[in-house]
Amino acid sequence: MDCTSIIGTIAATLTTASFIPQVIQVVKTKQTRDISLSMFITFTIGVLGWLIYGILLNAMPIIIANLVVFVLTMIIIVYKLRYR
Amino acid sequence: MDCTSIIGTIAATLTTASFIPQVIQVVKTKQTRDISLSMFITFTIGVLGWLIYGILLNAMPIIIANLVVFVLTMIIIVYKLRYR
């Protein structure tokens, strides 16, 4: 793997994994007041777009990364709607 | 522009713009308790990675989208650190 691909892989891993601490925090505290619902809904629709984009290109890394992010942001949205 | 590129552009616009409502909310309310600092720091480092990736590929859409996201998430981090 060349240098550019390595940096892209690190970037993708970080932006994907970053949602894990937010999921842990909302699940633990059930406090979601300061989280913007608009942000997570817009972001999740965008992630669905990336998922379709990945499927159309048959690009497995894009598909997997966005599937993981989709699951994580959906958990945050469910908690936001449940514990406003 | 083909269908795949259009979907990619819509996805990029949504995931980039999604941070605007969160920025507006933290600037207005100065309330950041429920936002995970770990999430935004990890995400922002990832975005820096995407920025370097875009520069190495000389891919202007990747550079611009990630520059915008970087500025927006940095504002959220500054507010999070200032108003814990």
Side-chain angles (χ1 to χ4, degrees):
Chain A
M1 196 153 60
D2 64 297
C3 178
T4 308
S5 300
I6 292 169
I7 291 172
T9 306
I10 293 170
T13 307
L14 287 172
T15 49
T16 302
S18 67
F19 291 93
I20 297 172
Q22 183 70 71
V23 169
I24 292 171
Q25 184 167 329
V26 295
V27 170
K28 263 190 179 166
T29 65
K30 299 184 177 55
Q31 302 283 337
T32 63
R33 183 196 62 195
D34 307 331
I35 293 171
S36 164
L37 183 61
S38 309
M39 172 191 153
F40 278 94
I41 286 177
T42 313
F43 192 84
T44 305
I45 296 169
V47 166
L48 268 184
W50 282 121
L51 200 57
I52 297 166
Y53 180 79
I55 291 166
L56 289 173
L57 288 179
N58 205 9
M60 217 23 112
I62 298 178
I63 296 171
I64 293 168
N66 284 286
L67 257 184
V68 173
V69 172
F70 179 77
V71 171
L72 294 172
T73 56
M74 278 307 295
I75 295 171
I76 295 167
I77 289 173
V78 167
Y79 269 78
K80 174 71 186 174
L81 292 173
R82 177 108 176 64
Y83 306 97
R84 278 169 181 276
Chain B
M1 199 153 58
D2 64 297
C3 177
T4 308
S5 300
I6 292 169
I7 291 173
T9 306
I10 294 171
T13 307
L14 288 172
T15 48
T16 302
S18 67
F19 291 93
I20 297 173
Q22 183 69 71
V23 168
I24 292 172
Q25 183 167 331
V26 295
V27 170
K28 263 190 177 166
T29 65
K30 297 183 176 58
Q31 303 283 338
T32 64
R33 183 197 59 194
D34 306 331
I35 294 170
S36 164
L37 183 60
S38 308
M39 173 193 151
F40 278 94
I41 286 178
T42 312
F43 192 84
T44 305
I45 296 170
V47 165
L48 269 183
W50 282 121
L51 201 58
I52 296 166
Y53 180 79
I55 291 166
L56 289 174
L57 287 180
N58 204 11
M60 217 22 114
I62 298 179
I63 295 171
I64 293 169
N66 285 287
L67 257 183
V68 173
V69 173
F70 179 76
V71 171
L72 295 172
T73 55
M74 279 307 295
I75 295 171
I76 295 167
I77 289 172
V78 167
Y79 269 77
K80 175 71 187 175
L81 292 173
R82 177 111 177 62
Y83 306 97
R84 275 167 184 275

